Amino acid sequence: MILNCIAVDDEPLALGLVCTFIEQTPFLKLTGRYASAVEALVGLQDQKVDLIFLDIQMPNLNGIELARVLDSRGANKPRIIFTTAYNQFALEGYKVDALDYLLKPFNYEEFLHAANKALSYAELLHRSNTNPAATDEQRMEDNYLFLKIEYQLVRVALNDILYIEGLKDYVKVYLQNTEKPLLSLTSLKSLEEKLPSKRFMRVHRSFIVSLDKINSITRNALQIGKVNITIGDQYKDIFGQFQSKWT
């Protein structure tokens, strides 16, 4: 698979280095180089681009702002790898769904590592698009899903999930035999739609639980391991149907 790429940076030396790295990477094809985000936005109207190596600190329109504009294209948007000298933008880069964040100065090994993430993502997306039936439903049958953790897609086995806690724009996924939960930038509702309803249930506006990991149930709560989770009022009826199977 070949990824069509552009590079955007207002510093000529930095732009030249990224373009050199792209041209020496077999699975990347350089289709454009731009000295500003405004020029890149115009150029993107005339070509299909899979990946953008994008600086952040630029005049008129910065890299984060360009990423937000492109985000409106939904699934057809190009993926972004930020290249910047400022680490304080890492969280903002994560929020606009960037694949990676390269901190200047970076070498070719670091560049290639980020590019390989983009290739893996593109191959995964291609398999899903060429076989639509084998998307979320198939992954559920295969007992795993993918979560974006920091700047990579992490495969998570459904059998390992104990419960999931929603925290505004993030979720915490608690796994058995792992003390620290996985933190992913997604919504609880989005995960609820992906998880098989026979195995997982939302029992509170902030919690989804794995039904086969429940140790005990009381009138208003359930226990998984040492954790007690309150059953929300709006979920009591549907959870009651599940609870009736215990008696």
Side-chain angles (χ1 to χ4, degrees):
M1 175 178 285
I2 302 296
L3 303 182
N4 291 330
C5 305
I6 64 170
V8 187
D9 201 309
D10 63 334
E11 298 177 9
L13 290 178
L15 181 61
L17 179 65
V18 171
C19 290
T20 298
F21 284 169
I22 292 174
E23 289 174 333
Q24 70 186 61
T25 305
F27 57 85
L28 300 182
K29 179 181 179 182
L30 182 64
T31 60
R33 52 189 294 165
Y34 302 95
S36 76
V38 175
E39 291 178 11
L41 188 59
V42 174
L44 286 167
Q45 296 176 1
D46 302 321
Q47 59 179 315
K48 182 185 182 304
V49 172
D50 302 304
L51 181 62
I52 304 175
F53 291 91
L54 180 61
D55 186 27
I56 292 181
Q57 287 284 64
M58 292 180 288
N60 300 320
L61 185 71
N62 66 40
I64 296 291
E65 291 167 339
L66 176 59
R68 289 173 182 155
V69 171
L70 297 177
D71 197 47
S72 63
R73 299 186 179 184
N76 294 321
K77 66 182 179 182
R79 308 307 304 184
I80 291 173
I81 294 175
F82 283 117
T83 59
T84 179
Y86 303 94
N87 59 13
Q88 67 264 35
F89 294 109
L91 180 59
E92 288 300 316
Y94 187 55
K95 287 183 177 180
V96 294
D97 205 24
L99 284 178
D100 211 340
Y101 189 98
L102 288 169
L103 193 61
K104 298 175 182 176
F106 52 85
N107 56 33
Y108 181 65
E109 181 181 0
E110 294 168 314
F111 173 91
L112 184 60
H113 181 72
N116 274 316
K117 285 186 183 180
L119 179 62
S120 297
Y121 182 91
E123 290 174 340
L124 177 65
L125 188 63
H126 177 72
R127 288 195 296 270
S128 295
N129 289 339
T130 53
N131 187 9
T135 53
D136 287 336
E137 181 179 350
Q138 182 62 49
R139 287 195 289 273
M140 294 307 102
E141 292 177 357
D142 291 340
N143 291 313
Y144 68 90
L145 55 73
F146 282 98
L147 290 176
K148 186 174 181 184
I149 310 296
E150 294 182 349
Y151 290 101
Q152 58 185 331
L153 288 174
V154 175
R155 176 170 161 157
V156 178
L158 298 188
N159 287 336
D160 289 340
I161 298 175
L162 298 173
Y163 62 94
I164 303 166
E165 181 181 6
L167 301 167
K168 197 175 179 180
D169 297 328
Y170 297 84
V171 297
K172 283 185 176 180
V173 181
Y174 292 83
L175 306 176
Q176 58 185 0
N177 303 320
T178 303
E179 290 186 9
K180 188 176 181 181
L182 299 177
L183 185 65
S184 179
L185 181 61
T186 188
S187 68
L188 200 64
K189 179 176 175 57
S190 176
L191 270 188
E192 182 182 12
E193 293 171 350
K194 293 179 180 180
L195 292 166
S197 59
K198 292 181 179 179
R199 299 179 60 183
F200 294 87
M201 182 179 294
R202 189 163 184 173
V203 298
H204 187 277
R205 62 185 179 87
S206 299
F207 288 96
I208 294 172
V209 301
S210 176
L211 296 175
D212 63 358
K213 300 298 192 301
I214 296 174
N215 300 117
S216 63
I217 299 173
T218 63
R219 182 176 180 182
N220 297 311
L222 60 87
Q223 186 175 41
I224 296 179
K226 297 180 179 180
V227 177
N228 287 307
I229 297 174
T230 300
I231 300 168
D233 290 341
Q234 70 185 94
Y235 302 97
K236 284 183 177 179
D237 288 343
I238 188 168
F239 188 76
Q241 297 174 24
F242 166 73
Q243 186 177 358
S244 66
K245 300 177 182 178
W246 280 43
T247 59

